[in-house]
Amino acid sequence: MDISNDDRAPGRVQSVERAVTILEFLAANGWSGVTDVGNALGVHKSTAFRLLNTLEGRGLVEQHVDSGKYRLGFGLLQLAHAVTVGPDIRRQSQPGCEWLAQHTDETITLSVCEDFESVTIDQIVSTSTVASRSWLGRRIPLHAAASGKIFLASLPDGDFEKIVAGPHERFTPGTITDVGLLREEIDRCKANGYATTSEEFEEGLSSIAAPILSFDNDVVAAISISGPTYRLDDERLTELAPLVREAAAQASAGFTYEWQAGRVEEASTQS
């Protein structure tokens, strides 16, 4: 991704563009060398090094002592925790997220819809995960994520028709890109009150999500369970459906939505 002067829109600052591109690159690729970052930016590695060094000084990236490679730093978490999306969605959804993590021992994510993408704003990593992986800040097109399907199902008719018409990027052989099949998938989501994916964004990754509702039954976020497909096969996802719906109902209680322990409110199936 070359962000030379000719590619920049008027009013944009090249060094800031490059710094943001580095953060996005590291978010997608994890530990990366200076040469890798330079290639992604389309600049000499000396320029990439200076940018990385600056970001490291502010805690936004960190460097591995032995390999010299870089990844995102904990300074980003401090910035992320200062972000509020409308009401404090993270705080008010926390009881449902924690309850679901305790009852499934899987990775739990909380997502919102922004610019017609599903964006992860909070995460509880499974203790069964061998290597910790952060999805914070990850943006996924609506058609390829369980949470994204929840948001698709809640869009006004005009926006829904615009988004579902595509075209849709194919990430894996399992990605739903056919408009007719995607419509059928969203119809199932509306009927069931939850959505699933099986190797649709990444091979080997499956998930299930349910909507978190505001006091007037608008979808404000989605709570998801995700994990390896060998553990979350179709049968297991079906077993988890009542749990993710109940957790979503509990999270919705933070938005003055009535929830009673041990059962799922009928309204949690609406989107």
Side-chain angles (χ1 to χ4, degrees), residues 31 78 98-99 112 123 140 146-148 153 170 179 188 191-192 211-212 237 250 260 262:
W31 289 109
Q78 182 178 359
E98 292 181 345
W99 181 91
V112 296
Q123 169 179 294
I140 304 177
S147 57
R170 180 177 295 280
V179 174
R188 279 192 292 272
N192 295 332
I212 296 175
L237 289 176
Q250 184 177 358
Q260 295 180 6

Side-chain angles (χ1 to χ4, degrees), residues 76-234:
L76 284 172
L77 290 178
Q78 182 178 359
L79 297 178
H81 280 240
V83 175
T84 57
V85 186
D88 189 351
I89 291 177
R90 289 181 58 258
R91 177 177 59 80
Q92 298 197 50
S93 302
Q94 186 175 4
C97 292
E98 292 181 345
W99 181 91
L100 191 57
Q102 292 169 1
H103 284 76
T104 64
D105 198 27
E106 297 289 352
T107 294
I108 310 302
T109 55
L110 179 68
S111 305
V112 296
C113 185
E114 182 178 276
D115 296 330
F116 300 120
E117 292 180 303
S118 178
V119 184
T120 302
I121 62 171
D122 204 2
Q123 169 179 294
I124 301 175
V125 178
S126 167
T127 56
S128 300
T129 302
V130 176
S132 176
R133 177 182 183 183
S134 177
W135 287 87
L136 290 175
R138 193 73 178 270
R139 308 179 75 95
I140 304 177
L142 299 185
H143 71 285
S147 57
K149 293 175 185 178
I150 294 295
F151 298 135
L152 258 180
S154 70
L155 290 177
D157 290 344
D159 289 335
F160 174 80
E161 293 299 333
K162 176 183 176 181
I163 298 301
V164 80
H168 302 294
E169 182 176 356
R170 180 177 295 280
F171 297 97
T172 73
T175 306
I176 301 175
T177 59
D178 179 81
V179 174
L181 293 178
L182 184 57
R183 287 182 182 276
E184 292 177 5
E185 182 75 358
I186 300 308
D187 285 343
R188 279 192 292 272
C189 171
K190 291 179 178 180
N192 295 332
Y194 65 89
T196 63
T197 58
S198 181
E199 300 188 298
E200 295 173 37
F201 182 65
E202 283 190 6
E203 293 188 15
L205 179 69
S206 295
S207 64
I208 181 170
I212 296 175
L213 307 177
S214 67
F215 67 94
D216 54 359
N217 280 352
D218 286 336
V219 175
V220 295
I223 185 171
S224 307
I225 304 170
S226 61
T229 302
Y230 71 81
R231 199 161 65 225
L232 300 184
D233 57 15
D234 290 343

Side-chain angles (χ1 to χ4, degrees), residues 15-72:
S15 58
V16 176
E17 289 270 10
R18 286 174 169 171
V20 172
T21 300
I22 288 175
L23 296 177
E24 292 175 340
F25 178 80
L26 294 179
N29 296 279
W31 289 109
S32 302
V34 175
T35 300
D36 298 324
V37 173
N39 290 338
L41 292 173
V43 301
H44 192 273
K45 72 176 187 177
S46 62
T47 301
F49 175 77
R50 289 195 299 272
L51 289 164
L52 285 163
N53 191 51
T54 301
L55 291 170
E56 183 187 14
R58 301 305 296 266
L60 301 181
V61 305
E62 62 176 291
Q63 185 179 29
H64 194 280
V65 176
D66 297 324
S67 69
K69 292 186 176 182
Y70 294 84
R71 70 174 178 183
L72 296 180

